[in-house]
Amino acid sequence: MKRKFLIFSLLKVSNMFLVLYILGLISKKLNLENFGNFSLIQSFINITIGFLFSWSSSLILFFGVQEKDKQGNMREVIWIRNKILLCVTIILTLGFIFLKNNLDEYLKINSILIYFIIIFKVFNEYMAVYLLSIKKKIESVFLQFLLKITLAIYITCFNLSLNKLIVLSLLIETIGLLFIFFIDKNDFKKPDIFNKKLQNRITLFLKWQFLGFLGLSLTNYGDNFIIKSLYSFEEIGFYSRAYTFFLGMDSIIGVVTSYMNPEIISAVAKKNKKKLSDFFNRDRYIIFIIFSILNITLIILAPIIFTILYSDNISKTILIFRILSIGSIIRVWLNLYNVIFNISNNFKYLQQLNIVRGVLNLLFSYILIKKIGVVGAAYATIFTLILIGVILSMKGEKIIKEIKIELNT
């Protein structure tokens, strides 16, 4: 178990540092304006995937794991997810057909390339989450590592333009088709029977997941669209350099949570008191302390890190990063509550807060960016996290007490 977790963690952390290396190198090989344009394209891709696709992926980790434990397969959950994917893919396709000229103009790139990048990214995300849910965690993270190391090698060895970079990103995403060799084909067969009660639970769950993911997508990527409306691609470039590290810290905490969540969900289903008690009373505090120390270290080392990565025009980026790093410490703590809200069927409350968080973040960002420039987006993120963090923590601790009482009765 410990050996697998170590390999999983090393690959996950390697993925994060590869992303930072890739973005640092792209920033050096493209001018700041083109890097800002690239960052806007990435934001568009990520917010589109979050809005249309990612919100339904968690049903595999949550309901799929439960179905697999009880039935030996997750056919019904997979069947429902596939129907959702088919519907939203049709919507995505129609959107790109009718809005192609507008998207080409706004993104300054052929939007057909963006369409296919989204399609392959969605497939790769689907397979990665599925493999995590069936405990093939090493395979899941290794294939993600393969995609990133391939991109890193090419960018290191060859010159880049924005168009070349987008085409290259598309080609590398196709490597994710290798995921298909690791699936359990039994999970992808049509279910023999359909559980109406399960479908009703999934429908309620997904309704709130959709709204919650929309809120998170606005929180994570909405700032770039506000900066674009008020300033230039260069200002997006400054902000994106720092924000990439901020999201990178989320990826690192994802190392732990994505590994632990299926185990916690199984522990609830099997009423494993020891595992749940360890998580509530010890593990989450250890995780928070470790990641807080890591964030503080990055705040101190920021000038060295950004000098190595970007070499010039870094003073604004360092300031933005240091502000966001305070928010990163808060996000580590809040991320540890996600599984607690889901296992207690309080996902509705969690997603309501995510919606409020997304709206508040955009509102604060717009006001502060207009007043003090792109640094205002970082302050807006902090203000929103503090406000939502207090509310979420109070509710989360109340839920934990209720779970403990239930386990002891």
Side-chain angles (χ1 to χ4, degrees), residues 296-309:
I296 293 167
T297 304
L298 288 173
I299 290 172
I300 295 168
L301 296 179
I304 299 171
I305 293 169
F306 285 105
T307 299
I308 293 170
L309 286 174

Side-chain angles (χ1 to χ4, degrees), residues 25-36:
L25 203 56
I26 288 172
S27 179
K28 283 185 176 180
K29 294 203 171 189
L30 300 178
N31 60 41
L32 194 56
E33 182 178 354
N34 280 337
F35 180 69

Side-chain angles (χ1 to χ4, degrees), residues 230-231 364-377:
L230 296 173
Y231 295 101
F364 289 154
S365 288
Y366 184 77
I367 294 169
L368 292 174
I369 290 170
K370 283 191 76 172
K371 285 186 175 294
I372 59 176
V374 292
V375 177

